[in-house]
Amino acid sequence: MADKAQLPLDLTQVKKAVQALQAFLKSKTSGETLLLDDTDNISLLFTLWKIPRRAQTIRIPLPHGQRTDTEEICLFTRDEPKMTSEQTQRFYKRLLEEKGVKNVSEIIPYNALKKEYKPFEAKRRLLGNFDLFLSDERIRRLLPSHLGKHFYLRKKEPLCVNLQSKHLARDINRVIQGTSIKVNNKGSCCMVRVAHSGMTADEVTENIEATVQTVVAKLRTKGPMVKVIHLKSPTSVALPIYTSDLKHLALVEEEQEKAKKKTEKSSNKKGRKNASTKTAESPAGGKEKLMDEEEEEIPLLVPIETPRKKAKLEKSSQKRKLVKASKPAAAKKGKKTPNKGVKNGGKTKAKVRKQARKSK
């Protein structure tokens, strides 16, 4: 728990790393980038000792703003009653001007978001046009189904703002100039943006110190978690600014051993329960069955075959056999007793005899 209270950072070493990174970024810049006034993001890469059990999002207020004035910011608002989308847009523009908020470049009501940005291409265009998205906290649960997964995959999901706050300008500036880190339960590394290359070395070091202390204090884990912290930009090598002691490794190993012992105990208890339910040893050494096994076994119900089809087949086969047996018997009788109507050359025997008598 002492590790969570405060992390011992060597600020002189941090400042040296910041100066080295700024020198590298200046050497990489060309005349075109200087004319466009482009700046590179400076981020911190946290490597943890073990993977967290639960995912977590940590909001971090920074002493110096880590966004430039040229960045485009979009605000999603709710639809005011008895107002069209254009009227609600004008209403919130006046509200922001009265409160002194000048960072928001465009306001989109919820009804306009549903109608105008329904196609996939319109959503992608909206995603590419702005660097940061804010949303009224009254409609935050309605936005994911209309924005789509690309806002969340590129880590541009809208940040919630209370538009009914009395100190609206202060709250919006905290959200815009602050930062947030997402601690996943799928890996041991997480990154957070803390500054840009246009800031001074002292401002960047102060932002780094504030970020590290808030992350260490708000992590939902027991014991030391931070293993290594690196400072980097999108085009540079990661520079280490903090490495934990081996004492933390010993503490982590002790926690792992405790967790293993707990799992072994729970598995042994389950095995004993299963063994006791199956059999119980008698004092003579033999094994006696429990009451559940001594009960009479219920016979299995075997489905009775319906004899309809078989009986029909048997009857039809018996009829065919009888017909075949009767045909040869009738043929034999016909040979022994020839029929009277058998013709000999087209005439019967009686006619032949009569003709013979007449001829005599």
Side-chain angles (χ1 to χ4, degrees):
M1 299 300 288
D3 185 49
K4 277 200 164 188
Q6 192 175 5
L7 198 72
L9 268 178
D10 190 357
L11 295 179
T12 56
Q13 189 70 23
V14 172
K15 192 173 180 180
K16 287 180 183 178
V18 171
Q19 289 172 351
L21 183 61
Q22 286 178 340
F24 171 77
L25 293 174
K26 284 179 182 178
S27 65
K28 290 289 182 183
T29 55
S30 61
E32 294 178 358
T33 56
L34 289 171
L35 288 172
L36 293 170
D37 195 16
D38 288 338
T39 56
D40 291 326
N41 298 328
I42 297 173
S43 305
L44 285 179
L45 178 63
F46 288 87
T47 305
L48 307 178
W49 280 107
K50 56 185 179 181
I51 298 171
R53 293 183 180 178
R54 295 179 182 177
Q56 185 183 358
T57 303
I58 301 171
R59 290 280 186 91
I60 304 165
L62 297 175
H64 304 283
Q66 52 96 20
R67 294 184 185 276
T68 59
D69 297 332
T70 58
E71 292 191 9
E72 299 289 330
I73 298 168
C74 179
L75 173 64
F76 299 117
T77 62
R78 76 160 194 172
D79 297 315
E80 291 295 324
K82 298 179 181 180
M83 284 188 187
T84 61
S85 59
E86 294 178 357
Q87 290 174 348
T88 54
Q89 191 175 6
R90 291 172 191 167
F91 171 75
Y92 281 107
K93 276 185 180 179
R94 290 174 192 167
L95 178 65
L96 295 177
E97 286 176 0
E98 289 174 1
K99 298 292 183 180
V101 179
K102 299 178 181 179
N103 298 327
V104 178
S105 55
E106 189 170 349
I107 296 169
I108 300 175
Y110 178 67
N111 197 10
L113 177 67
K114 288 195 296 184
K115 291 180 179 179
E116 296 178 9
Y117 296 96
K118 190 174 182 181
F120 177 73
E121 293 178 358
K123 290 178 183 176
R124 291 196 68 178
R125 202 180 307 117
L126 177 66
L127 181 63
N129 289 337
F130 297 96
D131 300 303
L132 179 67
F133 293 92
L134 304 175
S135 72
D136 188 355
E137 63 178 8
R138 292 170 289 183
I139 60 166
R140 61 179 180 177
R141 286 183 284 182
L142 304 173
L143 291 176
S145 59
H146 296 287
L147 292 176
K149 64 180 181 180
H150 295 281
F151 279 77
Y152 298 89
L153 290 174
R154 292 183 62 180
K155 297 181 181 179
K156 280 191 176 182
E157 63 271 18
L159 302 176
C160 294
V161 176
N162 184 12
L163 295 178
Q164 296 176 333
S165 167
K166 294 180 180 179
H167 307 284
L168 184 61
R170 185 191 65 185
D171 296 342
I172 288 177
N173 287 325
R174 278 183 182 177
V175 174
I176 292 171
Q177 299 301 338
T179 186
S180 61
I181 183 172
K182 289 189 174 182
V183 183
N184 292 323
N185 55 354
K186 298 178 182 178
S188 60
C189 294
C190 48
M191 188 178 286
V192 58
R193 176 182 170 182
V194 294
H196 59 84
S197 59
M199 298 170 66
T200 62
D202 294 328
E203 290 175 349
V204 176
T205 51
E206 288 176 5
N207 281 1
I208 289 168
E209 186 182 5
T211 303
V212 170
Q213 300 305 335
T214 50
V215 168
V216 170
K218 291 184 179 181
L219 274 174
R220 296 176 185 170
T221 50
K222 294 180 180 180
M225 280 295 294
V226 180
K227 183 179 181 181
V228 187
I229 301 173
H230 290 89
L231 180 70
K232 73 183 298 294
S233 72
T235 58
S236 70
V237 182
L239 303 174
I241 60 172
Y242 171 79
T243 54
S244 60
D245 299 330
L246 294 175
K247 295 178 182 179
H248 300 324
L249 178 61
L251 292 171
V252 171
E253 288 178 353
E254 287 179 2
E255 289 181 358
Q256 289 178 354
E257 288 178 359
K258 287 179 182 178
K260 285 181 181 179
K261 286 179 181 178
K262 285 181 181 179
T263 54
E264 287 177 358
K265 284 181 181 179
S266 61
S267 62
N268 290 332
K269 285 181 181 179
K270 287 179 181 179
R272 288 172 186 173
K273 285 181 181 179
N274 294 329
S276 62
T277 52
K278 286 181 180 179
T279 53
E281 291 184 0
S282 64
K287 292 184 179 180
E288 297 178 355
K289 292 183 179 179
L290 295 172
M291 294 297 293
D292 294 336
E293 293 182 0
E294 286 179 356
E295 291 179 358
E296 293 182 358
E297 293 183 356
I298 299 170
L300 294 173
L301 298 174
V302 181
I304 300 169
E305 295 180 355
T306 54
R308 293 178 182 177
K309 293 182 180 180
K310 288 187 176 181
K312 288 180 180 179
L313 292 171
E314 288 177 357
K315 287 180 181 179
S316 61
S317 62
Q318 286 177 0
K319 285 179 180 180
R320 287 174 185 173
K321 288 179 181 178
L322 290 170
V323 170
K324 287 179 181 179
S326 61
K327 281 181 180 179
K332 288 178 183 178
K333 287 179 181 178
K335 286 180 182 179
K336 290 179 181 179
T337 56
N339 292 328
K340 292 180 180 179
V342 176
K343 294 182 179 180
N344 188 5
K347 295 180 181 181
T348 59
K349 291 181 179 181
K351 288 181 180 181
V352 171
R353 287 173 184 175
K354 286 179 181 180
Q355 288 177 1
R357 287 176 186 174
K358 287 178 179 180
S359 60
K360 288 180 180 180

